[in-house]
Amino acid sequence: MGWPYKKLVRPILFAQNAERVHDFTLKLLGHVSRNKFARDVTGKFFASPELPVEMFGLKFPNPVGLAAGLDKFAVAVPIWEKLGFGFCELGGVTWHPQPGNLSPRIFRAVADEAIVNRMGFNNSGAEALAQKLAEWKKNGRWPKHPVGINLGKSKITPLEKAAEDYADSFRALRDLADFFVVNVSSPNTPGLRQLQDKSALDEIFAAMQQENSTRKPILVKVAPDLSFEALDEILGLAKTRNISGIVATNTTISRPQTNDSRLQKIYAETGGLSGKPLRARSTEIIRHIFKQTRGQLPIVGVGGIFNADDAWEKISAGASLIQIYTGMIYEGPGIAKTIVRGLVQRMERERVHNLKEIAHSAAAKI
Ligand SMILES: Cc1cc2nc3c(=O)[nH]c(=O)nc-3n(C[C@H](O)[C@H](O)[C@H](O)COP(=O)(O)O)c2cc1C
């Protein structure tokens, strides 16, 4: 599927406005999600081989997940497993519904296989999302794989009230998903990344854990622009606040050097950069977390994964699960299957029996 998508479908899609293509595609996937025949055909084409992973008490059929921001409104929940994903992270959602930033707010940097976005958490609010998820459950179309929800802070909520805002969203959604991710790392909500500060994050997790009587795993998603010192402060909270893992990383505010004037124009846009230029930095962050926690804290690796080698790099650095956003835009709907298949083949070649061995043996060689 990779070749026909890249040569035939992608040129048509990339000739249109990026957000319009996104909305159209999600709408289409929503229709497919509601039709049993279409779902089954999709599953026949795109099913991944099995590569089970157990993490924070959940069973994942494979380690390749859909990253936050792609299905913000949960319009296509049943389709991600049919496209071969081992889990999905829905949202980001905020307590208050909000329109996000003005359009245009997604830009393709095609020559670098990257995206700049400043969506600003456009979403219909935690209660509307809860209703949507309840509908999928009621209709018996809930996927077998774990489902996570990405929580952001409402723009109108002042930073001092952030803990309440996250806890309100969590209360509305806690019974409807398997794990939650506290997103304090999006560059597109003013001041949000200040919440990565230890005391602010401590307050957020304290408020959420108070609501968490069924002990749902709650992870935190970090920015690739954090210093290792700031990252270590966050890791220091993991035990006291029962943080189940780290999602590393969100998009970056940094930009690569380039002489290409078309890229320069895109990179001058405000927003977070994702895709290939993010790959190395996000891997570096993962490696640091793995080293600091001696592999004891689960890491979800995300940033610039386009193929099985990129996935292997993240897993070697210490990720137990990985996620994809921009890679799917550039490589097409078969990306999860291609990556899982590539991982299985490489594990056979290198005589590795489970994914955990990969990171531990890589760390031993450093
Ligand atoms: C258009 C767009 C919207 C996104 N929205 C969110 C979001 O709501 N919450 C979040 O935590 N990350 C969001 N992300 C970040 C991705 O989940 C991911 O961390 C990042 O894009 C790096 O992965 P990639 O290089 O595979 O795209 C968004 C990314 C893009 C491109």
Side-chain angles (χ1 to χ4, degrees):
M1 181 68 192
W3 183 88
Y5 173 80
K6 275 164 88 167
K7 293 286 172 210
L8 303 172
V9 182
R10 198 175 88 177
I12 299 168
L13 298 180
F14 278 22
Q16 324 282 325
N17 169 281
E19 187 166 352
R20 217 168 310 138
V21 171
H22 179 91
D23 292 346
F24 170 79
T25 310
L26 264 290
K27 207 168 174 186
L28 185 72
L29 291 174
H31 285 303
V32 175
S33 296
R34 285 189 295 277
N35 181 300
K36 184 175 178 335
F37 176 73
R39 278 199 313 273
D40 289 348
V41 171
T42 309
K44 282 241 162 358
F45 269 106
F46 295 105
S48 289
E50 283 194 11
L51 184 53
V53 179
E54 215 171 317
M55 203 41 66
F56 28 83
L58 299 173
K59 288 189 169 129
F60 298 79
N62 71 65
V64 181
L66 181 83
L70 212 148
D71 192 2
K72 275 181 191 282
F73 297 84
V75 295
V77 179
I79 211 61
W80 307 116
E81 72 175 355
K82 304 290 178 194
L83 288 174
F85 286 99
F87 64 107
C88 65
E89 187 180 326
L90 308 170
V93 66
T94 56
W95 173 240
H96 296 285
Q98 55 185 44
N101 291 318
L102 291 176
S103 295
R105 50 192 182 175
I106 310 182
F107 308 88
R108 303 183 194 97
V110 179
D112 273 358
E113 298 185 270
I115 289 176
V116 173
N117 94 82
R118 52 165 178 271
M119 300 300 286
F121 290 148
N122 56 310
N123 79 100
S124 40
E127 286 180 329
L129 186 72
Q131 221 166 17
K132 185 85 199 152
L133 297 180
E135 269 168 39
W136 286 123
K137 288 207 169 189
K138 202 173 101 205
N139 295 335
R141 294 188 189 129
W142 197 253
K144 289 196 195 77
H145 66 32
V147 173
I149 296 180
N150 183 275
L151 303 177
K153 181 192 77 69
S154 314
K155 192 175 177 185
I156 56 164
T157 301
L159 287 177
E160 318 81 76
K161 294 260 164 66
E164 231 173 90
D165 196 81
Y166 282 98
D168 285 343
S169 295
F170 179 64
R171 200 180 313 109
L173 290 159
R174 65 190 166 192
D175 298 330
L176 291 158
D178 303 299
F179 70 93
F180 290 83
V181 178
V182 174
N183 175 10
V184 280
S185 48
S186 164
N188 301 316
T189 295
L192 188 84
R193 286 171 306 151
Q194 290 173 34
L195 299 174
Q196 292 177 117
D197 178 73
K198 189 175 181 180
S199 62
L201 199 56
D202 190 41
E203 220 180 295
I204 293 170
F205 268 86
M208 289 178 70
Q209 295 295 17
Q210 229 168 28
E211 302 287 342
N212 192 13
S213 54
T214 56
R215 295 196 148 238
K216 289 276 162 102
I218 309 178
L219 293 79
V220 60
K221 185 164 179 178
V222 297
D225 309 310
L226 281 181
S227 66
F228 286 163
E229 291 74 27
L231 207 51
D232 292 346
E233 294 241 300
I234 293 176
L235 299 179
L237 281 181
K239 269 225 168 73
T240 52
R241 288 299 175 205
N242 201 12
I243 296 178
S244 294
I246 309 282
V247 183
T249 67
N250 214 312
T251 56
T252 176
I253 52 167
S254 75
R255 298 288 187 266
Q257 290 286 340
T258 176
N259 293 322
D260 180 330
S261 60
R262 283 226 294 240
L263 285 178
Q264 283 169 348
K265 198 164 155 249
I266 305 281
Y267 289 156
E269 295 288 350
T270 302
L273 175 72
S274 59
K276 287 223 162 142
L278 176 61
R279 199 199 84 222
R281 177 62 186 168
S282 97
T283 302
E284 213 180 346
I285 299 266
I286 293 164
R287 190 168 289 119
H288 178 80
I289 298 169
F290 187 81
K291 198 176 105 214
Q292 289 299 90
T293 59
R294 297 191 177 83
Q296 296 305 303
L297 188 63
I299 303 168
V300 182
V302 50
I305 300 173
F306 279 58
N307 54 46
D309 286 342
D310 299 338
W312 190 270
E313 177 188 278
K314 291 281 191 280
I315 293 164
S316 303
S320 303
L321 300 167
I322 57 159
Q323 290 180 316
I324 289 158
Y325 190 132
T326 308
M328 177 125 139
I329 312 296
Y330 282 91
E331 297 290 319
I335 188 169
K337 175 183 178 177
T338 307
I339 290 179
V340 179
R341 203 162 48 184
L343 286 175
V344 170
Q345 284 166 353
R346 187 153 171 189
M347 285 171 76
E348 280 167 10
R349 238 179 14 250
E350 302 200 8
R351 296 180 206 287
V352 176
H353 303 292
N354 75 61
L355 289 166
K356 276 220 171 92
E357 273 177 47
I358 302 173
H360 285 284
S361 74
K365 282 185 207 142
I366 294 173

